[in-house]
Amino acid sequence: WEEFARCEGELEIGNLANCVVGCAPTLEMLKTSETPLVNLSEGKFGTQTGLAVATNPQPPNCGNPFGTFDEVGYDNRCRPPSGLGPAQGEIESCPDSTPAPVIPTLAPVASTLAPVLTPTSSCEIESQIENIETKVENTEMKVKDMEIKINSIESTVSTILSILQTSTPAPVASTPAPVVCADRTDSWELNGRTRAWCNWAKKGEDETEIIRRCSARKLEDDCPVTCGDCTR
């Protein structure tokens, strides 16, 4: 029974090779659920012909009476609405309905596509195929656009890295340390005499005398404030 149910499920969703949705199970498919007693008075089963003909068909051993509704006294509630049946002409033959090997069912994969309804005609099947092909084409176009954008970003990043690696930083001008203009406060020897020469120069009577002392002893470098030489 489980094998038959699986076969029926695959048939309903169109997964069996050479079987379109809507085909009825063949006799061999029905036999997968049990081992029945087959009595064919004309050697036909659906569109299959040439089957073994029962010479003395026996009614099945069923719990309920066997036969047509009229023969067993049942109220026939399966009559189609007025004007809708029974079907006329020969039964349309389905393609080869040999069941395909059962493939283990994989875990369901989430899909963004809209659910596909079970078609009832070849026109609906073609329409659904066209819709699926259109969605696949649209998805492929979006993937290509995304690849172009990624390539553009990679190119931009590569260019920036190349510029950063080859660029030479601008030279930074060094700022000289400020020169402090101040007189020496210590004593040192000049011409055999040791004294605080900056203080000695300051003791001139006026500016002219101070400048003369600075010049006479060459104190401009050691006493720039006193000698008025801080501008050098």
Side-chain angles (χ1 to χ4, degrees), residues 48-202:
Q48 293 178 281
T49 58
L51 302 177
V53 178
T55 56
N56 185 22
Q58 300 294 322
N61 184 17
C62 300
N64 294 321
F66 176 78
T68 64
F69 287 128
D70 294 334
E71 290 173 346
V72 299
Y74 286 154
D75 179 17
N76 186 356
R77 298 181 182 180
C78 292
R79 296 181 182 277
S82 177
L84 296 182
Q88 301 296 324
E90 295 292 332
I91 299 176
E92 183 179 355
S93 176
C94 292
D96 183 12
S97 57
T98 302
V102 178
I103 301 175
T105 304
L106 300 178
V109 178
S111 173
T112 57
L113 300 178
V116 180
L117 300 178
T118 302
T120 57
S121 68
S122 60
C123 292
E124 291 185 7
I125 295 175
E126 293 177 358
S127 176
Q128 290 190 3
I129 292 175
E130 291 178 358
N131 290 338
I132 294 174
E133 290 177 346
T134 301
K135 291 177 180 178
V136 171
E137 291 176 357
N138 292 338
T139 302
E140 290 177 347
M141 292 179 62
K142 291 180 179 179
V143 171
K144 290 181 179 179
D145 290 342
M146 185 63 67
E147 290 177 349
I148 293 174
K149 292 180 180 178
I150 292 175
N151 291 335
S152 177
I153 293 173
E154 290 178 347
S155 177
T156 302
V157 172
S158 177
T159 302
I160 293 173
L161 291 176
S162 178
I163 293 174
L164 293 176
Q165 292 172 354
T166 57
S167 61
T168 303
V172 178
S174 59
T175 304
V179 177
V180 178
C181 186
D183 291 348
R184 290 178 63 172
T185 59
D186 59 333
S187 298
W188 69 94
E189 181 182 351
L190 281 177
N191 300 327
R193 299 185 65 177
T194 300
R195 64 172 53 174
W197 290 105
C198 291
N199 289 336
W200 172 79
K202 289 178 184 179

